[in-house]
Amino acid sequence: MTATTFRIGGDLGVRRLGFGAMQLPTERGPAREASLRVARRAVELGVTLIDTAHLYGGGANEELLAEALYPYADGLLVTTKVGVARSAESGEWGLDGRPEVLRDQVENALRRLRVERLELLQLHRIDPEVPLADQLGALRELQTAGKVGRLGLSEITVAELDEARAIIDVASVQNRYSLLDREHESVLAACEAAGIAFLPWRPVAGAASGASAAAAEITAVADELGATPAQVSLAWLLDRSPVVLPIPGTARIDHLEENVAAADLRLTPAHHDRLDRLDDLGRPGRPAERA
């Protein structure tokens, strides 16, 4: 039977099916109120892993989650990411792994999330303009100071993972990955071998588009199981490896409930065989947005 929980870093237990908060609107008004309800409903449904980042509204998403969920339920992990900043000159977002920027974003995340320690912090992207040792060294210093519990990375290669592991203990990797987009298969394999949590973002991409033979096959499997294409995609991910912790995002409670229910969906060996072959039918193009 597929395990429903995983211990990040070997000791931080969470339910494997999490929630990505990126899509939640944060502007004042009805949309924000709806976002608060979605975040609270996720916890009510038993979600214990929620993903956010400084990039999502320059910290506004972190503040939204704190407003919705603080004081946090026992066992709830809200993980955030740093390393992308808005230029003071152009106003555009870009990679910024300078140690002083990372330290500032961590301090702001602690304040916004109303915690004294971030149990899991991920480097949003590796900045090629800053030595990796400097970026991870700054985060390791924050870890030593007790402000960060565990460290992870996002959108990395196997070579970058190996380099990072020579500097820090890597607890998690957050790469783009789904039933129809398996570009980072080798990274997942490396994480599985090392017991590192693998958080796929955009985990249901293309599943319900109906624009490809692969999407049509997912829909066919879903119809046979009385499920939705998104649920089939999430169930496949949960079965794919015990280190996979999908973080599907939505701003709608009905979609949230649909996603969470995927944890109870059981695929037969025949369904697995059909779905495993779908990567050969073509994968969607690389998305422009960052998770």
PDB file of all heavy atoms in Angstrom, residues 35-56:
ATOM      1  N   SER A  35      -9.330  33.262  -0.648  1.00  0.00           N
ATOM      2  CA  SER A  35      -8.027  32.634  -0.442  1.00  0.00           C
ATOM      3  C   SER A  35      -7.861  32.156   0.994  1.00  0.00           C
ATOM      4  O   SER A  35      -7.339  31.059   1.251  1.00  0.00           O
ATOM      5  CB  SER A  35      -6.900  33.613  -0.793  1.00  0.00           C
ATOM      6  OG  SER A  35      -6.887  33.924  -2.159  1.00  0.00           O
ATOM      7  N   LEU A  36      -8.294  32.976   1.930  1.00  0.00           N
ATOM      8  CA  LEU A  36      -8.211  32.590   3.341  1.00  0.00           C
ATOM      9  C   LEU A  36      -9.024  31.325   3.594  1.00  0.00           C
ATOM     10  O   LEU A  36      -8.590  30.422   4.324  1.00  0.00           O
ATOM     11  CB  LEU A  36      -8.710  33.732   4.227  1.00  0.00           C
ATOM     12  CG  LEU A  36      -7.884  35.023   4.206  1.00  0.00           C
ATOM     13  CD1 LEU A  36      -8.608  36.116   4.995  1.00  0.00           C
ATOM     14  CD2 LEU A  36      -6.492  34.794   4.785  1.00  0.00           C
ATOM     15  N   ARG A  37     -10.195  31.256   2.975  1.00  0.00           N
ATOM     16  CA  ARG A  37     -11.046  30.076   3.158  1.00  0.00           C
ATOM     17  C   ARG A  37     -10.395  28.832   2.558  1.00  0.00           C
ATOM     18  O   ARG A  37     -10.471  27.740   3.143  1.00  0.00           O
ATOM     19  CB  ARG A  37     -12.429  30.315   2.543  1.00  0.00           C
ATOM     20  CG  ARG A  37     -13.275  31.335   3.312  1.00  0.00           C
ATOM     21  CD  ARG A  37     -14.721  31.294   2.848  1.00  0.00           C
ATOM     22  NE  ARG A  37     -14.868  31.762   1.475  1.00  0.00           N
ATOM     23  CZ  ARG A  37     -15.060  33.016   1.116  1.00  0.00           C
ATOM     24  NH1 ARG A  37     -15.107  33.974   2.048  1.00  0.00           N
ATOM     25  NH2 ARG A  37     -15.210  33.347  -0.143  1.00  0.00           N
ATOM     26  N   VAL A  38      -9.757  28.982   1.413  1.00  0.00           N
ATOM     27  CA  VAL A  38      -9.094  27.837   0.779  1.00  0.00           C
ATOM     28  C   VAL A  38      -7.956  27.323   1.658  1.00  0.00           C
ATOM     29  O   VAL A  38      -7.819  26.112   1.880  1.00  0.00           O
ATOM     30  CB  VAL A  38      -8.571  28.212  -0.621  1.00  0.00           C
ATOM     31  CG1 VAL A  38      -7.660  27.120  -1.169  1.00  0.00           C
ATOM     32  CG2 VAL A  38      -9.727  28.456  -1.578  1.00  0.00           C
ATOM     33  N   ALA A  39      -7.132  28.228   2.165  1.00  0.00           N
ATOM     34  CA  ALA A  39      -6.016  27.816   3.012  1.00  0.00           C
ATOM     35  C   ALA A  39      -6.511  27.103   4.263  1.00  0.00           C
ATOM     36  O   ALA A  39      -5.966  26.069   4.672  1.00  0.00           O
ATOM     37  CB  ALA A  39      -5.168  29.030   3.382  1.00  0.00           C
ATOM     38  N   ARG A  40      -7.543  27.636   4.867  1.00  0.00           N
ATOM     39  CA  ARG A  40      -8.088  27.007   6.084  1.00  0.00           C
ATOM     40  C   ARG A  40      -8.723  25.657   5.772  1.00  0.00           C
ATOM     41  O   ARG A  40      -8.597  24.710   6.546  1.00  0.00           O
ATOM     42  CB  ARG A  40      -9.100  27.954   6.728  1.00  0.00           C
ATOM     43  CG  ARG A  40      -8.446  29.192   7.341  1.00  0.00           C
ATOM     44  CD  ARG A  40      -9.450  30.262   7.677  1.00  0.00           C
ATOM     45  NE  ARG A  40      -8.784  31.451   8.218  1.00  0.00           N
ATOM     46  CZ  ARG A  40      -9.279  32.686   8.159  1.00  0.00           C
ATOM     47  NH1 ARG A  40     -10.465  32.891   7.584  1.00  0.00           N
ATOM     48  NH2 ARG A  40      -8.606  33.701   8.669  1.00  0.00           N
ATOM     49  N   ARG A  41      -9.374  25.563   4.627  1.00  0.00           N
ATOM     50  CA  ARG A  41      -9.993  24.294   4.249  1.00  0.00           C
ATOM     51  C   ARG A  41      -8.927  23.229   4.000  1.00  0.00           C
ATOM     52  O   ARG A  41      -9.146  22.052   4.325  1.00  0.00           O
ATOM     53  CB  ARG A  41     -10.866  24.489   3.009  1.00  0.00           C
ATOM     54  CG  ARG A  41     -11.597  23.234   2.548  1.00  0.00           C
ATOM     55  CD  ARG A  41     -12.510  22.696   3.610  1.00  0.00           C
ATOM     56  NE  ARG A  41     -13.269  21.534   3.133  1.00  0.00           N
ATOM     57  CZ  ARG A  41     -13.713  20.580   3.927  1.00  0.00           C
ATOM     58  NH1 ARG A  41     -13.491  20.629   5.242  1.00  0.00           N
ATOM     59  NH2 ARG A  41     -14.392  19.563   3.436  1.00  0.00           N
ATOM     60  N   ALA A  42      -7.796  23.629   3.445  1.00  0.00           N
ATOM     61  CA  ALA A  42      -6.713  22.664   3.212  1.00  0.00           C
ATOM     62  C   ALA A  42      -6.297  21.998   4.518  1.00  0.00           C
ATOM     63  O   ALA A  42      -6.137  20.774   4.591  1.00  0.00           O
ATOM     64  CB  ALA A  42      -5.522  23.359   2.556  1.00  0.00           C
ATOM     65  N   VAL A  43      -6.154  22.799   5.560  1.00  0.00           N
ATOM     66  CA  VAL A  43      -5.763  22.243   6.860  1.00  0.00           C
ATOM     67  C   VAL A  43      -6.880  21.386   7.435  1.00  0.00           C
ATOM     68  O   VAL A  43      -6.637  20.322   8.025  1.00  0.00           O
ATOM     69  CB  VAL A  43      -5.359  23.379   7.821  1.00  0.00           C
ATOM     70  CG1 VAL A  43      -5.045  22.832   9.206  1.00  0.00           C
ATOM     71  CG2 VAL A  43      -4.147  24.133   7.271  1.00  0.00           C
ATOM     72  N   GLU A  44      -8.120  21.826   7.262  1.00  0.00           N
ATOM     73  CA  GLU A  44      -9.255  21.030   7.733  1.00  0.00           C
ATOM     74  C   GLU A  44      -9.276  19.651   7.077  1.00  0.00           C
ATOM     75  O   GLU A  44      -9.664  18.655   7.698  1.00  0.00           O
ATOM     76  CB  GLU A  44     -10.568  21.748   7.427  1.00  0.00           C
ATOM     77  CG  GLU A  44     -10.818  22.998   8.262  1.00  0.00           C
ATOM     78  CD  GLU A  44     -12.056  23.747   7.792  1.00  0.00           C
ATOM     79  OE1 GLU A  44     -12.659  23.321   6.783  1.00  0.00           O
ATOM     80  OE2 GLU A  44     -12.423  24.761   8.426  1.00  0.00           O
ATOM     81  N   LEU A  45      -8.834  19.579   5.832  1.00  0.00           N
ATOM     82  CA  LEU A  45      -8.829  18.323   5.088  1.00  0.00           C
ATOM     83  C   LEU A  45      -7.626  17.451   5.425  1.00  0.00           C
ATOM     84  O   LEU A  45      -7.494  16.349   4.888  1.00  0.00           O
ATOM     85  CB  LEU A  45      -8.850  18.609   3.585  1.00  0.00           C
ATOM     86  CG  LEU A  45     -10.142  19.220   3.039  1.00  0.00           C
ATOM     87  CD1 LEU A  45      -9.963  19.684   1.611  1.00  0.00           C
ATOM     88  CD2 LEU A  45     -11.290  18.210   3.135  1.00  0.00           C
ATOM     89  N   GLY A  46      -6.766  17.942   6.295  1.00  0.00           N
ATOM     90  CA  GLY A  46      -5.632  17.137   6.725  1.00  0.00           C
ATOM     91  C   GLY A  46      -4.321  17.425   6.035  1.00  0.00           C
ATOM     92  O   GLY A  46      -3.331  16.715   6.261  1.00  0.00           O
ATOM     93  N   VAL A  47      -4.265  18.456   5.190  1.00  0.00           N
ATOM     94  CA  VAL A  47      -3.002  18.827   4.555  1.00  0.00           C
ATOM     95  C   VAL A  47      -2.043  19.336   5.623  1.00  0.00           C
ATOM     96  O   VAL A  47      -2.404  20.176   6.451  1.00  0.00           O
ATOM     97  CB  VAL A  47      -3.237  19.913   3.482  1.00  0.00           C
ATOM     98  CG1 VAL A  47      -1.911  20.479   2.981  1.00  0.00           C
ATOM     99  CG2 VAL A  47      -4.045  19.343   2.317  1.00  0.00           C
ATOM    100  N   THR A  48      -0.806  18.838   5.604  1.00  0.00           N
ATOM    101  CA  THR A  48       0.185  19.285   6.585  1.00  0.00           C
ATOM    102  C   THR A  48       1.427  19.875   5.944  1.00  0.00           C
ATOM    103  O   THR A  48       2.380  20.224   6.646  1.00  0.00           O
ATOM    104  CB  THR A  48       0.600  18.115   7.507  1.00  0.00           C
ATOM    105  OG1 THR A  48       1.137  17.050   6.710  1.00  0.00           O
ATOM    106  CG2 THR A  48      -0.589  17.616   8.320  1.00  0.00           C
ATOM    107  N   LEU A  49       1.428  20.007   4.617  1.00  0.00           N
ATOM    108  CA  LEU A  49       2.545  20.618   3.889  1.00  0.00           C
ATOM    109  C   LEU A  49       1.994  21.688   2.960  1.00  0.00           C
ATOM    110  O   LEU A  49       1.235  21.397   2.036  1.00  0.00           O
ATOM    111  CB  LEU A  49       3.295  19.554   3.088  1.00  0.00           C
ATOM    112  CG  LEU A  49       4.321  20.059   2.060  1.00  0.00           C
ATOM    113  CD1 LEU A  49       5.429  20.859   2.734  1.00  0.00           C
ATOM    114  CD2 LEU A  49       4.901  18.893   1.263  1.00  0.00           C
ATOM    115  N   ILE A  50       2.346  22.949   3.224  1.00  0.00           N
ATOM    116  CA  ILE A  50       1.907  24.066   2.400  1.00  0.00           C
ATOM    117  C   ILE A  50       3.137  24.812   1.901  1.00  0.00           C
ATOM    118  O   ILE A  50       4.019  25.166   2.681  1.00  0.00           O
ATOM    119  CB  ILE A  50       0.983  25.007   3.177  1.00  0.00           C
ATOM    120  CG1 ILE A  50      -0.298  24.274   3.576  1.00  0.00           C
ATOM    121  CG2 ILE A  50       0.650  26.250   2.354  1.00  0.00           C
ATOM    122  CD1 ILE A  50      -1.295  25.122   4.353  1.00  0.00           C
ATOM    123  N   ASP A  51       3.181  25.049   0.598  1.00  0.00           N
ATOM    124  CA  ASP A  51       4.344  25.664  -0.041  1.00  0.00           C
ATOM    125  C   ASP A  51       4.057  27.103  -0.447  1.00  0.00           C
ATOM    126  O   ASP A  51       3.028  27.388  -1.059  1.00  0.00           O
ATOM    127  CB  ASP A  51       4.730  24.858  -1.287  1.00  0.00           C
ATOM    128  CG  ASP A  51       5.827  25.528  -2.091  1.00  0.00           C
ATOM    129  OD1 ASP A  51       7.003  25.396  -1.706  1.00  0.00           O
ATOM    130  OD2 ASP A  51       5.514  26.186  -3.103  1.00  0.00           O
ATOM    131  N   THR A  52       4.978  28.008  -0.088  1.00  0.00           N
ATOM    132  CA  THR A  52       4.884  29.401  -0.517  1.00  0.00           C
ATOM    133  C   THR A  52       6.287  29.893  -0.884  1.00  0.00           C
ATOM    134  O   THR A  52       7.221  29.097  -0.978  1.00  0.00           O
ATOM    135  CB  THR A  52       4.228  30.280   0.575  1.00  0.00           C
ATOM    136  OG1 THR A  52       4.087  31.618   0.061  1.00  0.00           O
ATOM    137  CG2 THR A  52       5.038  30.309   1.848  1.00  0.00           C
ATOM    138  N   ALA A  53       6.429  31.192  -1.109  1.00  0.00           N
ATOM    139  CA  ALA A  53       7.728  31.746  -1.492  1.00  0.00           C
ATOM    140  C   ALA A  53       7.701  33.264  -1.396  1.00  0.00           C
ATOM    141  O   ALA A  53       6.642  33.887  -1.502  1.00  0.00           O
ATOM    142  CB  ALA A  53       8.098  31.341  -2.927  1.00  0.00           C
ATOM    143  N   HIS A  54       8.890  33.844  -1.220  1.00  0.00           N
ATOM    144  CA  HIS A  54       9.012  35.301  -1.245  1.00  0.00           C
ATOM    145  C   HIS A  54       8.522  35.855  -2.582  1.00  0.00           C
ATOM    146  O   HIS A  54       7.900  36.927  -2.637  1.00  0.00           O
ATOM    147  CB  HIS A  54      10.469  35.708  -1.012  1.00  0.00           C
ATOM    148  CG  HIS A  54      10.701  37.179  -1.164  1.00  0.00           C
ATOM    149  ND1 HIS A  54      10.434  38.082  -0.152  1.00  0.00           N
ATOM    150  CD2 HIS A  54      11.134  37.923  -2.217  1.00  0.00           C
ATOM    151  CE1 HIS A  54      10.714  39.306  -0.570  1.00  0.00           C
ATOM    152  NE2 HIS A  54      11.136  39.233  -1.816  1.00  0.00           N
ATOM    153  N   LEU A  55       8.789  35.124  -3.665  1.00  0.00           N
ATOM    154  CA  LEU A  55       8.408  35.577  -5.004  1.00  0.00           C
ATOM    155  C   LEU A  55       6.914  35.808  -5.138  1.00  0.00           C
ATOM    156  O   LEU A  55       6.478  36.679  -5.889  1.00  0.00           O
ATOM    157  CB  LEU A  55       8.862  34.536  -6.039  1.00  0.00           C
ATOM    158  CG  LEU A  55       8.403  34.750  -7.488  1.00  0.00           C
ATOM    159  CD1 LEU A  55       8.991  36.041  -8.055  1.00  0.00           C
ATOM    160  CD2 LEU A  55       8.793  33.555  -8.348  1.00  0.00           C
ATOM    161  N   TYR A  56       6.108  35.050  -4.419  1.00  0.00           N
ATOM    162  CA  TYR A  56       4.666  35.146  -4.570  1.00  0.00           C
ATOM    163  C   TYR A  56       4.162  36.430  -3.903  1.00  0.00           C
ATOM    164  O   TYR A  56       3.787  36.455  -2.735  1.00  0.00           O
ATOM    165  CB  TYR A  56       3.969  33.930  -3.958  1.00  0.00           C
ATOM    166  CG  TYR A  56       4.514  32.594  -4.443  1.00  0.00           C
ATOM    167  CD1 TYR A  56       4.311  31.443  -3.700  1.00  0.00           C
ATOM    168  CD2 TYR A  56       5.231  32.494  -5.634  1.00  0.00           C
ATOM    169  CE1 TYR A  56       4.792  30.216  -4.139  1.00  0.00           C
ATOM    170  CE2 TYR A  56       5.728  31.279  -6.067  1.00  0.00           C
ATOM    171  CZ  TYR A  56       5.510  30.139  -5.322  1.00  0.00           C
ATOM    172  OH  TYR A  56       6.001  28.923  -5.741  1.00  0.00           O
TER     173      TYR A  56
END
